[in-house]
Structure formats: structure tokens, C-alpha cells
Amino acid sequence: MRTVGFAVKGAEVASQAAEDVGVGRRARGLDRSFAILDYLRELRRPARPNEIAVGVDAPKSTTYELVNLMLAAGILEYADKEGRVFLGRKLYFLGLAYQSQFDLTRECRSYLDELAETTRETSQLCMLDGDKYTVAMMREGARPFRISSDVGERIPIPWTASGRLLVSHMSDEQILSFIPKEDFVLSSGFRLDPSAFLADVHKAREDGFFSFDTLADNFTHCFAAPVFHRDGICAATLCLIAPREDAARNYARYRDVLSAAARSLSEKTDSSPISIVKAGVA
């Protein structure tokens, strides 16, 4: 009887181990599927599965299998007769459904329109995307040339004014652990001292506002004001991007207009039954 008991117990352990292996494989497959989507998003052009496999550092056989599954589901689509694939239209429809329930982006359009019309500068809604900064929405200013980042482009947090506010709820240790070390190297090759970045974060937290001459170029100034969730976390920022001469000439007005808009948007989203954090931003 004792031998039978051990056998039954052993079978149960083996069954649980097999189930755990299956769950682990599915989890890895899900992680790799999202890695493929992120890779194509950052690449911003169609790619063949073998190129994707190299880009996401995954086995080619696994990548081909996942690509085929996402093609069948409409998550990816063929872009040409050469077998290149890109993000599918189902993602667009999923995004529309998300946006219809996401109060911040729904409410933000009118604020961006008003900021751009009032200041004639480019206005933006900016957020964190993992450990990077991204422009989620934008309204171009009344200028003949573009002076801002593309919507959805992932940029190192230390390169941005908004980044100082978006991590301002973290401790210094959490910030340095959260931001990859290589992200303190600017596009010019200059390495930003992490202690200087932390000093900026402290100032942004204290002032509830931050602005600086943009580190990624030599001719723009960025203003950023926090949009807070009810728990006091900066879930997003409203920004203005202006030529440095215009920013210096209109500094106080731009700061006050932007800060007032961010406070109003914070109050409006805070009173909504759908939480910003629940919607997946913070």
C-alpha cells in the first residue's frame, strides 16, 4: 500500500511538473509575442520573420510559429509579396476600444487643441512606456517646420523634461534602478551625471513643473507640467515645445497656461470612475 501511495504521489508531482512546464512555455510565448510587436513598433517598417528573430533574440522556428499565429489572428498582416509583416489592423481597433474607455486621452484632445491655439506652439501628452518616455498624443503648433518627436517613439527618460516629473514619485534608489544606465548617454554622446538628473527630479517634484533647453537638439525648449492621479503619482505630462528664443520671451505665460491646463486635466480625470492606473498608464 505504501508503494502504491508513493507511486500515486509521484504521478501527481510529475503531472504538476508537466503542467508547470506548459504554463512556462505559454508565458514565454506570450512574452516573445509582445517583444515582436514592440520590435515592429520601434522599427516602424515591415520585416521578414528571420529579421524579427534576430531583432528579438529568439529562435527562428519559434518566431515563425508566433508570427503565423498572429497573422491568423489579424494582429500582424502581410505587407508585401516578399513575406514581410507589420502590425495589423486589429491592433488599431483594439486601440480605439482602449481609447474610448481611457479618460485621460479622451479628455486630453481639447486641452492640446487649446494649448496649441493659445500659444501657437506644439502641445503634447507624454507618458512612460516601460522604462522609456513617449509622446502619446500631439497637436502641431502654427509653425512651418516640425520641432517635436514622433508620436509613439520611445526615448530615454533622462533626455526629456517630462521624464523628471514622470519618475518624481520614486525614491532616488528606485529611479536609478528603473532607468537603464545607458540611457544617461545623450544623443550627442555626452553622459549626463545621474546625480544631476536626480537633482532635477527633486526640483521638479518641489515645483510641480519642469522646463529646460531640450537635450536632444540645440534650438528648442520644453515645458512640462504634471497630470496627477488621485494617489499623487504623475501619470502623464502636458508639454509645450517651443523655439528657445520664443520660450525665453514667453516663459511665464507658457508656464502658467500649461500648469493651469494640467491642473484642470488632473481634476477632471481624478473625478472619473475609470482610474488612470487601472487603464494601464502608471
Side-chain angles (χ1 to χ4, degrees), residues 38-66:
D38 280 337
Y39 174 76
L40 289 172
R41 172 194 167 190
E42 293 188 21
L43 193 63
R44 292 181 174 269
R45 62 169 175 80
R48 292 188 178 92
N50 59 345
E51 180 185 357
I52 295 172
V54 174
V56 301
D57 192 24
K60 290 184 179 180
S61 59
T62 301
T63 302
Y64 273 94
E65 181 181 358
L66 292 173

Side-chain angles (χ1 to χ4, degrees), residues 155-168:
I155 298 172
I157 291 170
W159 297 16
T160 69
S162 289
R164 274 80 174 158
L165 290 162
L166 290 167
V167 299
S168 61

Side-chain angles (χ1 to χ4, degrees), residues 41 44 123-125 134-140 146 148-154:
R41 172 194 167 190
R44 292 181 174 269
S123 60
Q124 299 176 335
L125 174 71
T134 192
V135 177
M137 298 176 66
M138 180 169 65
R139 169 71 187 276
E140 294 282 3
R146 295 185 72 249
S148 56
S149 303
D150 290 330
V151 171
E153 182 180 357
R154 300 177 81 235

Side-chain angles (χ1 to χ4, degrees), residues 161-169 201 204-205 208-210 224-226 234 237:
S162 289
R164 274 80 174 158
L165 290 162
L166 290 167
V167 299
S168 61
H169 62 286
V201 172
R205 182 187 299 135
F209 173 84
F210 194 81
C234 175
T237 60

Side-chain angles (χ1 to χ4, degrees), residues 78-117:
Y78 282 112
D80 56 33
K81 295 181 180 180
E82 303 299 320
R84 295 180 181 87
V85 299
F86 197 62
L87 305 178
R89 70 191 69 186
K90 179 169 282 190
L91 293 174
Y92 172 74
F93 293 122
L94 290 172
L96 289 179
Y98 169 78
Q99 193 174 68
S100 71
Q101 293 297 315
F102 185 19
D103 302 301
L104 187 58
T105 54
R106 187 172 63 244
E107 296 288 354
C108 190
R109 292 186 184 278
S110 61
Y111 286 88
L112 294 181
D113 289 344
E114 184 174 356
L115 284 168
E117 290 169 5

Side-chain angles (χ1 to χ4, degrees), residues 198-247:
L198 293 175
D200 286 346
V201 172
H202 298 164
K203 178 173 174 54
R205 182 187 299 135
E206 181 179 349
D207 295 345
F209 173 84
F210 194 81
S211 79
F212 69 177
D213 288 342
T214 309
L215 298 178
D217 63 56
N218 295 317
F219 57 90
T220 62
H221 189 92
C222 181
F223 298 79
V227 178
F228 289 110
H229 183 249
R230 62 176 62 91
D231 57 9
I233 291 177
C234 175
T237 60
L238 287 179
C239 303
L240 286 173
I241 312 296
R244 291 184 181 180
E245 290 184 2
D246 289 353

